[in-house]
Amino acid sequence: MPPRVLISDSLSPAAAQIFRLRGIEVDCEPTLGKDSDKLAAAIGDYDGLAIRSATKVTADLLQRASRLKVVGRAGVGVDNVDVPAATARGVIVMNTPFGNSVTAAEHAIALMFALAREIPAADASTQAGKWEKNRFMGVEITGKTLGVVGCGNIGSNVAERGIGLKMRVIAFDPYLTEERARTLGVEKVELDDLLARADFITLHTPLTAHTKNILSAENIAKTKKGARIVNCARGGLVDEEALRKALDDGHIAGAAFDVFAKEPATENPLFGHPHVVCTPHLGASTSEAQEKVALQIAEQMSDYLTRGAIANAVNFPSITAEEAPRLKPFIELAEKLGLFAGQVARAGVEKLSVVYEGAVTLEKTRAMTAAAISGLLRPILEDINAVAAPVVAKERGVAVEEITREAQGDYESLITLNALTAQGEIRVSGTVFHDGKPRIIRIGDIGVDAEFSPSMIYLTNEDRPGFIGRFAGALGDAEVNIATFALGRDRPGGQAVALVAIDGDLPARALSKIERLPGVKQAVTLKFS
Ligand SMILES: NC(=O)c1ccc[n+]([C@@H]2O[C@H](COP(=O)([O-])OP(=O)(O)OC[C@H]3O[C@@H](n4cnc5c(N)ncnc54)[C@H](O)[C@@H]3O)[C@@H](O)[C@H]2O)c1
Ligand SMILES: O=C(O)[C@H](O)COP(=O)(O)O
């Protein structure tokens, strides 16, 4: 069955075209995102959900999304998506971080000019037939100081355009390096300095616990008298009530807002002030940007749904379409080693170390570790996948460490899992041969060579004559056919292990008969499907 995607916001038709070209069924319901009940009723039928900012992807919606594998945001901000809830349910959340940066930067500049020359009010007055030539007295932008708060993709585009307009540009961004600031031609400053010096302040940070109300009443009071403020980033960055007061007092000369603490904004403390300019979250609304983000998100979601490639995920490491086929057998190996450890463990795993040796260290080890954790937890949490696994492991108190080192033995690449439980350690190693098939090559210190089969028996026993005959007899009595048999031992007459692939399931009574065979220490049925 081909994957199915729902587009629940107003996206360029380019997105649906791409999905269809890539063999994905797509339903376009551009207003569904605004109706949470209808969306919740529909979401269970889809593998992918493509959205903009109108669709709220809440924990409740995700609970109804039994098939959902990916949420694709055609744009930047994912604050309308409950990312932790998506992660916990194993759903990838991806965005298009650059697709609308230029368009959003142009909107910020447009708003700055609108403020400087009071264009919206002058337009309304002129079209009302008033010809109030003496009412509107603007300010020049040339030579003024532009304070950019948040100098990432959009902020740096705004800074470059400000410099082009012959403004002095200063920037506050704790993550902006001095070198990048120099390259951009901006002066890196502290927030208080920016507030005191800027004639125009433009905000370009995401909304986080640190940036919420970054322009609080206290910080607005620190601004230069007559400053103008542009917010084209996120509502909630500015205390709107405090700003209204500062506008009313005349301390702030004007404010231009594209985004609001509550959206859709049908009421707002800023509305109605003569020196306020507002647009309804239009920062990304150009045909160029919408085409770009729609194409990008459809490509990214299709790559994930059809090839397992992950780009621009906010909750999982990226895996390019080129890396995906190379990584796939190692992800499968890591997951199956995890499944082995999870099924063999007789007590909860407290710590998991994943050791990578040789060529595999050059691949995305975080993705493999996530797969190993999901295998480890699958015997107790059936629905888990690699996206959710690291978070779930953390919640359950399983410490996870990742170690990479040079190849130390005969294998070009080796992955070893050490799972520590109250009952001891399970150590299992595996590799992928040139046939692309993952296999177990060591259990504890004992070498074996076994491919994974859907149904297996793992035995540890004393290495004694006649044991294999008795074991095979027990399987024969239960009418269980042996497909492959892999043996290993530490020394003649010492400890032995066996990994036996069987056709079908081992009946419980046959397992207990095997457990009672002389010399058996542990007998476990394993599933690797
Ligand atoms: N109005 C719109 O339609 C529209 C369109 C696109 C993006 N946006 C919004 O614009 C904002 C910026 O987007 P972007 O693509 O440039 O993101 P980005 O991640 O490229 O840049 C954000 C910058 O903010 C900086 N930052 C983070 N915390 C900070 C803090 N406490 N103080 C100062 N700087 C801090 C980061 O270092 C980074 O450089 C986002 O909120 C995004 O959602 C709005
Ligand atoms: O974060 C973004 O990309 C912008 O806020 C654009 O939002 P929109 O796609 O709803 O216009």
Side-chain angles (χ1 to χ4, degrees):
M1 199 167 57
R4 288 187 75 190
V5 166
L6 173 65
I7 299 179
S8 65
D9 264 330
S10 153
L11 259 71
S12 153
Q17 271 171 21
I18 293 285
F19 284 128
R20 291 194 184 105
L21 275 172
R22 301 286 298 269
I24 290 173
E25 281 180 19
V26 58
D27 290 327
C28 301
E29 302 279 355
T31 56
L32 200 60
K34 296 192 184 102
D35 188 332
S36 55
D37 290 340
K38 277 196 186 152
L39 181 61
I43 194 70
D45 293 335
Y46 295 96
D47 304 283
L49 177 67
I51 59 166
R52 283 176 64 191
S53 59
T55 303
K56 310 290 173 231
V57 183
T58 60
D60 285 348
L61 180 74
L62 287 160
Q63 263 199 335
R64 306 279 297 269
S66 50
R67 265 173 72 169
L68 197 67
K69 296 174 186 67
V70 55
V71 174
R73 175 17 168 155
V76 177
V78 289
D79 36 2
N80 50 325
V81 180
D82 187 334
V83 179
T87 307
R89 294 191 66 83
V91 176
I92 290 274
V93 180
M94 44 176 62
N95 68 352
T96 57
F98 311 104
N100 60 27
S101 307
V102 165
T103 276
E106 286 184 0
H107 197 59
I109 298 285
L111 289 176
M112 184 172 73
F113 272 116
L115 275 183
R117 304 302 283 267
E118 298 185 68
I119 289 171
D123 170 66
S125 149
T126 308
Q127 295 207 47
K130 295 187 187 163
W131 200 255
E132 296 177 291
K133 193 166 164 60
N134 295 330
R135 179 181 149 197
F136 300 106
M137 183 57 69
V139 289
E140 263 183 9
I141 274 175
T142 300
K144 294 290 184 327
T145 298
L146 173 63
V148 178
V149 179
C151 204
N153 294 326
I154 298 170
S156 50
N157 269 302
V158 170
E160 283 170 346
R161 281 154 182 75
I163 291 166
L165 292 167
K166 307 209 177 308
M167 300 182 85
R168 177 192 309 274
V169 182
I170 58 179
F172 166 67
D173 184 332
Y175 310 100
L176 177 71
T177 61
E178 286 292 355
E179 194 190 340
R180 172 80 179 137
R182 257 196 311 279
T183 309
L184 283 171
V186 308
E187 182 189 348
K188 182 171 153 73
V189 297
E190 290 305 318
L191 182 59
D192 280 0
D193 196 12
L194 181 146
L195 297 174
R197 287 168 59 191
D199 300 295
F200 291 85
I201 297 172
T202 183
L203 301 170
H204 300 287
T205 70
L207 181 65
T208 66
H210 291 113
T211 59
K212 190 169 166 40
N213 276 339
I214 194 163
L215 289 193
S216 58
E218 195 187 343
N219 280 345
I220 291 170
K222 291 179 187 166
T223 57
K224 181 172 176 176
K225 186 167 165 44
R228 291 172 171 83
I229 295 170
V230 175
N231 185 6
C232 198
R234 275 296 175 267
L237 295 178
V238 182
D239 180 336
E240 290 166 346
E241 296 280 359
L243 178 58
R244 173 69 197 226
K245 193 168 172 306
L247 282 157
D248 288 342
D249 294 349
H251 178 73
I252 294 290
F257 273 48
D258 182 50
V259 286
F260 302 88
K262 187 165 175 283
E263 291 183 15
T266 46
E267 287 175 357
N268 188 280
L270 297 175
F271 288 0
H273 192 281
H275 295 123
V276 167
V277 176
C278 294
T279 49
H281 203 143
L282 294 182
S285 296
T286 62
S287 43
E288 291 87 348
Q290 283 315 307
E291 174 111 357
K292 248 188 262 174
V293 296
L295 281 171
Q296 273 176 23
I297 206 63
E299 290 284 6
Q300 287 173 203
M301 291 174 74
S302 304
D303 276 348
Y304 180 55
L305 290 171
T306 62
R307 295 151 78 178
I310 302 178
N312 298 322
V314 299
N315 59 351
F316 203 74
S318 286
I319 299 172
T320 64
E322 196 204 358
E323 284 170 326
R326 226 174 41 229
L327 205 52
K328 195 168 171 247
F330 285 101
I331 288 198
E332 192 186 332
L333 170 66
E335 186 179 7
K336 288 188 164 157
L337 293 174
L339 260 175
F340 176 89
Q343 292 178 96
V344 168
R346 288 187 259 204
V349 173
E350 291 161 8
K351 183 176 174 192
L352 177 72
S353 300
V354 189
V355 185
Y356 299 91
E357 287 174 35
V360 70
T361 56
L362 302 174
E363 303 292 346
K364 294 272 164 57
T365 53
R366 254 181 75 204
M368 292 181 261
T369 301
I373 305 169
S374 81
L376 182 80
L377 297 178
R378 178 118 5 100
I380 40 174
L381 302 167
E382 248 177 41
D383 276 347
I384 195 151
N385 72 5
V387 178
V391 177
V392 175
K394 202 168 175 194
E395 278 168 10
R396 298 178 74 92
V398 183
V400 177
E401 72 173 357
E402 204 178 279
I403 296 164
T404 53
R405 56 187 184 219
E406 285 178 8
Q408 308 203 332
D410 298 334
Y411 298 99
E412 191 183 321
S413 288
L414 191 73
I415 303 181
T416 299
L417 260 57
N418 288 292
L420 194 69
T421 77
Q423 307 246 344
E425 186 193 55
I426 300 151
R427 185 152 41 88
V428 59
S429 305
T431 191
V432 176
F433 284 155
H434 290 295
D435 60 4
K437 287 189 187 153
R439 51 219 296 145
I440 292 191
I441 56 96
R442 198 182 306 131
I443 300 171
D445 292 323
I446 302 178
V448 283
D449 182 357
E451 276 181 31
F452 295 91
S453 286
S455 184
M456 297 183 92
I457 304 168
Y458 168 61
L459 274 185
T460 56
N461 60 285
E462 290 159 12
D463 182 35
R464 284 196 211 154
F467 175 78
I468 293 174
R470 285 191 290 278
F471 170 69
L475 290 182
D477 291 347
E479 298 195 341
V480 172
N481 192 39
I482 295 178
T484 63
F485 208 132
L487 292 172
R489 61 183 183 178
D490 55 1
R491 60 187 165 79
Q495 299 301 313
V497 299
L499 272 170
V500 184
I502 55 171
D503 296 331
D505 292 339
L506 182 71
R509 64 189 147 67
L511 178 64
S512 48
K513 193 168 167 189
I514 291 166
E515 282 171 331
R516 291 196 306 274
L517 290 175
V520 166
K521 294 189 161 170
Q522 190 181 9
V524 184
T525 54
L526 304 172
K527 293 277 169 214
F528 289 107
S529 43

